Amino acid sequence: MSEQVEERTGEPFAFNEETERKFQETLGKYPTKMAVLLPALWLAQEQNGYLTDAILEYVAERLELSPVHVYAVVEFYTMYHRTPPGRYHIQLCRTLSCTLCRMEGIERHLAAKHGLHPGEKTDDGMFSLELVECLGSCGTAPVMRVNDVYCENLTLEKVDKIIESCKAGTQLEEDPMQPH
Amino acid sequence: MSKQIISTNFDKADAHKLEVYEKLGGYRSLEKVFKMKPEEIIDHVKKSGLRGRGGAGFSAGMKWGFVPKSIDKPKYLCVNADEGEPGTFKDRKILQLDPHSMIEGIITCSYAVGIHTTYIYIRGEYTKPRIRTQAAIDEAYAKGYLGRNILGSGFDLDVIVHRGAGAYICGEETGLIESLEGKKGEPRAKPPYPAVIGVFGCPTVVNNVETLSALPFIMNEGWEAYARLGTEKSTGTMLFSISGSVERPGVYEGEFGVNLWDFIERSTGGVRGGRKLKAVIPGGSSAAILTAEEAGSTNLDYESLAAAGSMVGSGAIMVLGEDDCVVKALRVIARFYAHESCGQCPQCREGTYFISELAERLESGHGDQSDIEKILDTCPMMMGVTVCVLADSIAIPARSYIEKFRHEFDEHVKQKRCPYDSARAPAVA
């Protein structure tokens, strides 16, 4: 039997001044240090873009938790990145309403025209694509999320425009939410 | 136009801002709330018949009543804004378009139960709704609706927004509590229920966003006004998220007791492209499917849908037209539950994957009759045997899809392909 030992990832890490301020503020909102774990991981990810082993161990130390607890929690949730995502991380919804509204056409188009494949990152580091479960925007299916922005009622043309905007560095805007 | 209680502000410009919300009558209920005794409010909400809108449909007033009155521990309210049941998108509307109505409800609930700290657990993907909610909370603090001695009542309340990180199971109330405590969102065995031992070992109320947003109306207009709407046991209105193959998908508020298909057709304009209706999934992906005929003869309320073998659930209605494939629908939702199973119960961890694999095989044309039987044999082994209902949430629909649309499964086996593939448009318009 061979045992694969993975190398520990990441440079030594510490919260910067801004993150530290937010971290201290967050500590006061919960009666236990453990409850600050999810918020602290979010803060670390905002600062660094993804979570290295060194970051998980730093967060564990700051919250007086065992590293194994922090690792287990991070692996449980889908939104913490353990490797660097693309500058634009795309989450395309694949659940029922989006499927009924032909999300597969969008998936094929992203692959054929833009070279984006699920689970992969483009060579230039610009885009990464992930197929995700229900994004809670079924009334405007098909839907994808580009970083923090919901892109709804997708058509092939709309997808092209979004990709072009990203390449041009233009800030994406969500469509105004409709009353229905 | 059907009665609107929760969605009245959705079409009002800038209703998410405090100034506008106040002009629309917002926070008016608090004057009445603070004049009542806490137990009177609980009684009032019980009499209104308001039921939890997250999916379980349990009486909100009774849930509050289970919290011990005198206990030397803090009590907590956790607002479940971890909207994740496939097909559901109504809490997102409230958080983004009318967050103050939820905050007004939070204050009412907290005062009634004796709670001084509320956490709003918002799913990680909902960035804009979270920003709007936080902004609304900040405004409410500045105006004295939150914080110390609210409106001179002597009542204190803090409200904290907590961001989820991507896990459907955290919408289950004890999964949510575990997650809030900084752990994996693995649901707890019950009892004890959260009302006795919830978050941080303390008595906890977990309420859905929409449930709380119904409270301002109930306090302003009285429980009688609310109970007059709907049916005897399904009182009031609910936000129905309607999606899938319909002309105008969206969130539509409706009074309970109306005909299910009438309501869908009236709200959305019916099946997209004038096609025929095949099926309706009425209560989120965990609900049993209804045939077109059943959808036309069932009323939209808790009792009628239960009698039809399905449920109101989270009010997420998904519509399948004549060229939508039921086998594919099963494949997609089975994959969802396999992905979202937390893994602590073997029946769920293994069963969801097994059904997902079998459905995938059948849908792609590689399955045979024994695969259909295997799904049917697996379902009962997953029901009522696990810590939470995630396993039941695939077993119940899987069985109903096969029982009601067996011919479609048989056709996939016979033709060795999906018979709906050629009828399918190549991509979106």
Side-chain angles (χ1 to χ4, degrees), chain A residues 28-39 42 46 65 69 72-73 76-80 91 94-97 99-106 108 131-142 145 147-150 152-157 173-180, chain B residues 10-11 76 84 86-89 92-93 96-97 119 123-128 160-167 169-170 179-186 200 243-245 249-252 272 275 281 318-320 324 328-329 331-333 335-336 339-340 342 424-429:
Chain A
K29 294 178 177 175
Y30 300 87
T32 66
K33 281 198 167 165
M34 190 186 273
V36 184
L37 179 53
L38 267 65
W42 277 121
E46 273 163 33
L65 299 169
H69 177 84
V73 165
F76 186 82
Y77 299 94
T78 57
M79 294 184 75
Y80 295 124
Q91 297 177 299
R94 67 175 188 185
T95 316
L96 189 50
S97 300
T99 299
L100 290 169
C101 294
R102 320 284 189 249
M103 63 71 64
E104 286 140 314
I106 303 291
R108 280 197 297 270
L131 296 184
V132 295
E133 299 298 350
C134 191
L135 285 172
S137 189
C138 323
T140 50
R145 196 168 168 269
N147 294 343
D148 272 349
V149 176
Y150 270 70
E152 304 167 69
N153 292 308
L154 293 175
T155 60
L156 304 187
E157 294 72 28
E173 293 283 345
E174 286 188 9
D175 294 339
M177 186 179 269
Q178 298 303 312
H180 282 299
Chain B
F10 286 4
D11 61 350
Y76 294 98
T88 319
F89 48 99
R92 180 165 169 243
K93 296 262 183 203
Q96 193 162 325
L97 299 176
Y119 292 97
R123 69 176 293 179
E125 292 89 346
Y126 280 3
T127 303
K128 197 156 185 184
I160 294 148
V161 170
H162 186 89
R163 183 182 186 185
I169 197 58
C170 296
S179 177
L180 181 58
E181 289 183 352
K183 304 177 205 158
K184 297 190 276 181
E186 292 177 340
F200 309 123
S243 67
S245 293
V251 171
Y252 298 92
R272 194 168 49 211
R275 290 174 297 153
I281 302 166
M318 288 172 282
V319 173
L320 278 70
D324 291 319
K328 186 174 194 169
R331 172 174 74 79
V332 171
I333 71 156
R335 181 179 62 191
F336 171 84
H339 183 265
E340 299 299 338
C342 82
R424 189 160 283 274
V428 285

Side-chain angles (χ1 to χ4, degrees), chain B residues 162-179:
Chain B
H162 186 89
R163 183 182 186 185
Y168 166 73
I169 197 58
C170 296
E172 199 273 354
E173 61 179 8
T174 59
L176 184 150
I177 287 169
E178 286 284 303
S179 177

Side-chain angles (χ1 to χ4, degrees), chain B residues 276-298:
Chain B
K276 272 170 64 184
L277 174 68
K278 178 183 278 184
V280 173
I281 302 166
S285 62
S286 309
I289 200 166
L290 300 174
T291 62
E293 197 177 59
E294 288 170 323
S297 61
T298 304

Side-chain angles (χ1 to χ4, degrees), chain B residues 199-244:
Chain B
V199 73
F200 309 123
C202 299
T204 302
V205 172
V206 184
N207 276 164
N208 174 259
V209 173
E210 184 188 344
T211 314
L212 294 161
S213 284
L215 294 172
F217 176 92
I218 294 171
M219 299 316 297
N220 279 327
E221 311 295 325
W223 64 265
E224 300 91 338
Y226 192 81
R228 263 199 301 276
L229 300 167
T231 70
E232 193 195 336
K233 286 180 178 165
S234 302
T235 61
T237 65
M238 182 159 172
L239 295 181
F240 295 99
S241 312
I242 311 180
S243 67

Side-chain angles (χ1 to χ4, degrees), chain B residues 2-299:
Chain B
S2 59
K3 181 75 186 171
Q4 283 186 302
I5 288 175
I6 304 149
S7 60
T8 38
N9 290 345
F10 286 4
D11 61 350
K12 311 283 190 298
D14 292 332
H16 63 280
K17 293 180 180 160
L18 179 60
E19 195 190 339
V20 177
Y21 182 71
E22 283 179 325
K23 278 190 188 134
L24 294 165
Y27 289 112
R28 197 160 49 87
S29 74
L30 295 185
E31 205 181 313
K32 194 167 169 185
V33 164
F34 288 130
K35 279 186 191 142
M36 290 169 79
K37 289 194 188 114
E39 54 272 25
E40 284 172 353
I41 298 171
I42 296 179
D43 193 47
H44 190 89
V45 174
K46 268 185 202 165
K47 284 194 209 142
S48 77
L50 175 66
R51 297 165 70 158
R53 301 294 190 233
F58 192 78
S59 158
M62 278 173 70
K63 207 174 191 182
W64 299 359
F66 292 149
V67 176
K69 304 260 168 319
S70 49
I71 187 167
D72 61 349
K73 278 181 183 176
K75 302 171 196 173
Y76 294 98
L77 167 62
C78 294
V79 181
N80 190 341
D82 193 47
E83 185 164 63
E85 175 74 12
T88 319
F89 48 99
K90 42 108 186 166
D91 294 334
R92 180 165 169 243
K93 296 262 183 203
I94 297 174
L95 298 170
Q96 193 162 325
L97 299 176
D98 196 22
H100 284 289
S101 71
M102 170 187 65
I103 298 171
E104 193 173 341
I106 287 171
I107 299 165
T108 303
C109 168
S110 300
Y111 174 73
V113 185
I115 288 163
H116 302 291
T117 309
T118 292
Y119 292 97
I120 308 176
Y121 189 109
I122 303 183
R123 69 176 293 179
E125 292 89 346
Y126 280 3
T127 303
K128 197 156 185 184
R130 190 177 70 249
I131 291 169
R132 283 272 176 96
T133 301
Q134 185 61 58
I137 290 169
D138 294 344
E139 284 183 309
Y141 268 105
K143 199 73 192 280
Y145 291 121
L146 292 175
R148 306 281 84 78
N149 189 22
I150 296 170
L151 304 178
S153 64
F155 178 68
D156 302 338
L157 177 64
D158 284 314
V159 177
I160 294 148
V161 170
H162 186 89
R163 183 182 186 185
Y168 166 73
I169 197 58
C170 296
E172 199 273 354
E173 61 179 8
T174 59
L176 184 150
I177 287 169
E178 286 284 303
S179 177
L180 181 58
E181 289 183 352
K183 304 177 205 158
K184 297 190 276 181
E186 292 177 340
R188 295 176 180 171
K190 294 159 280 272
Y193 287 92
V196 182
I197 299 176
V199 73
F200 309 123
C202 299
T204 302
V205 172
V206 184
N207 276 164
N208 174 259
V209 173
E210 184 188 344
T211 314
L212 294 161
S213 284
L215 294 172
F217 176 92
I218 294 171
M219 299 316 297
N220 279 327
E221 311 295 325
W223 64 265
E224 300 91 338
Y226 192 81
R228 263 199 301 276
L229 300 167
T231 70
E232 193 195 336
K233 286 180 178 165
S234 302
T235 61
T237 65
M238 182 159 172
L239 295 181
F240 295 99
S241 312
I242 311 180
S243 67
S245 293
V246 290
E247 282 289 349
R248 292 184 303 276
V251 171
Y252 298 92
E253 185 165 359
E255 212 176 313
F256 286 111
V258 295
N259 176 277
L260 174 61
W261 180 247
D262 266 4
F263 177 73
I264 298 169
E265 202 172 32
R266 215 163 2 96
S267 307
T268 67
V271 183
R272 194 168 49 211
R275 290 174 297 153
K276 272 170 64 184
L277 174 68
K278 178 183 278 184
V280 173
I281 302 166
S285 62
S286 309
I289 200 166
L290 300 174
T291 62
E293 197 177 59
E294 288 170 323
S297 61
T298 304
N299 283 352

